[in-house]
Amino acid sequence: MNMPNIENINRSIDVYKKQLLQHSLYKEIHSVDDLKLFLEGHVYAVWDFMSLLKALQSKLTCTTSPWIASPNPQVRYLINEIVLAEESDLTLYGTRLSHFEMYLQAMEKCGANTLIVSNFLNEVQSKGIFNAINESVLHKHIKEFLTFTFETIENGKSHEIAAAFTFGREDLIPNMFTEILKELKDSFPSVDLSELVYYFERHIELDADEHGPMAFEMISFLCGEDAEKWKEVETVSKKALEKRIKLWDAIEELIEK
């Protein structure tokens, strides 16, 4: 693993991660209704993460027939291992679902609205991703967040998609939200937040112990000693975090309204 380059990128994006961790949004989540609005905005980040993952699987493994072995068995293993957990993980009740489906169920359990995101996904299937984004009723910053993700995917550079997937996703925020959820659970015992708490705790467990190190190893393989690729990874990582900050701005605005 190319730790010097990974450490350099982590240093360069540290200011953006601090902005996310210190964002004023967290102080706006006082009630279950506030939490519902947060979930209704954040769900798009859960979904587009799955899209980044599947784009990587398509590029780094063979997903077509006739099957031909992809170039690097280790990277093939890494991405398939992440897909296995993200696309068919164990739920709180011992069944199998993707993390996105788990998130939707958790939203429904606590009374959050899942109709808007469901309608949006129907539009994606019928009109294509960019038309669906442009014609949606989503906040402009949520649209910008999704547009950046799918432009990165469409651009097609594996190391840039991996950058948005790896460095463009915060690894500290789930801890923070687990604490918020536990506080809300104590304050509003009549609302069932067990599935949400489980989702975030599972997210923390997988990212810290397995998926984080795997993703760094994947980036190292894709960039090797190519300085230009590492620079592009840094650029995409910064932009991804900038868009995430704007997503937080949008959710905060929705809560304040």
Side-chain angles (χ1 to χ4, degrees):
M1 193 182 301
N2 195 323
M3 288 308 298
N5 278 314
I6 289 171
E7 288 169 1
N8 285 339
I9 291 174
N10 275 324
R11 279 194 293 270
S12 73
I13 65 175
D14 187 58
V15 62
Y16 300 96
K17 293 179 78 170
K18 284 179 178 175
Q19 284 183 55
L20 279 169
L21 288 171
Q22 296 166 6
H23 200 286
S24 51
L25 166 65
Y26 311 118
K27 296 178 181 177
E28 297 292 332
I29 304 175
H30 301 296
S31 68
V32 173
D33 285 339
D34 295 336
L35 176 65
K36 290 175 185 177
L37 287 170
F38 168 79
L39 299 175
E40 290 162 18
H42 179 245
V43 67
Y44 297 95
V46 179
W47 175 69
D48 88 322
F49 178 81
M50 299 297 299
S51 300
L52 286 166
L53 175 60
K54 296 303 286 186
L56 285 170
Q57 187 183 37
S58 177
K59 287 188 168 296
L60 302 177
T61 75
C62 182
T63 58
T64 57
S65 178
W67 180 85
I68 302 295
S70 53
N72 189 289
Q74 181 63 10
V75 170
R76 188 191 314 156
Y77 164 76
L78 292 173
I79 198 69
N80 282 332
E81 187 73 11
I82 295 172
V83 168
L84 177 64
E86 294 287 346
E87 201 168 34
S88 51
D89 200 11
L90 278 173
T91 69
L92 179 63
Y93 309 108
T95 56
R96 294 281 178 184
L97 283 177
S98 70
H99 282 191
F100 175 69
E101 292 166 309
M102 287 167 60
Y103 198 87
L104 284 181
Q105 284 195 355
M107 287 177 67
E108 291 171 350
K109 193 84 169 182
C110 71
N113 186 347
T114 60
L115 184 61
I116 295 174
V117 67
S118 295
N119 288 341
F120 172 73
L121 294 182
N122 288 334
E123 292 293 290
V124 169
Q125 289 180 299
S126 63
K127 298 180 178 179
I129 182 62
F130 295 110
N131 287 333
I133 293 170
N134 291 334
E135 297 174 17
S136 73
V137 297
L138 300 175
H139 190 287
K140 65 178 182 178
H141 291 326
I142 299 178
K143 290 184 178 184
E144 291 168 8
F145 175 82
L146 290 170
T147 298
F148 170 76
T149 294
F150 287 95
E151 284 180 346
T152 302
I153 290 172
E154 192 168 81
N155 182 45
K157 291 183 179 180
S158 298
H159 60 284
E160 291 183 334
I161 299 171
F165 178 85
T166 303
F167 295 102
R169 303 286 157 166
E170 79 297 326
D171 55 1
L172 301 175
I173 288 172
N175 279 300
M176 183 177 296
F177 271 103
T178 301
E179 294 308 311
I180 291 172
L181 286 168
K182 286 178 178 176
E183 289 177 17
L184 287 172
K185 191 175 179 181
D186 290 340
S187 302
F188 303 95
S190 61
V191 180
D192 190 348
L193 300 179
S194 58
E195 290 186 29
L196 273 175
V197 172
Y198 176 83
Y199 169 86
F200 280 109
E201 288 180 339
R202 184 68 178 144
H203 192 67
I204 295 163
E205 178 187 358
L206 285 172
D207 281 0
D209 297 339
E210 300 175 32
H211 295 177
M214 286 179 175
F216 288 140
E217 191 172 342
M218 175 176 61
I219 289 272
S220 296
F221 164 74
L222 292 173
C223 293
E225 299 301 324
D226 190 324
E228 183 62 27
K229 286 184 176 180
W230 282 108
K231 188 65 181 175
E232 289 174 340
V233 164
E234 181 180 351
T235 299
V236 169
S237 300
K238 288 179 178 178
K239 286 182 180 177
L241 288 169
E242 286 173 353
K243 297 301 180 185
R244 173 55 71 93
I245 292 166
K246 287 292 188 180
L247 176 67
W248 262 209
D249 291 343
I251 296 171
E252 182 177 30
E253 186 179 321
L254 293 170
I255 290 174
E256 288 174 346
K257 284 182 178 179

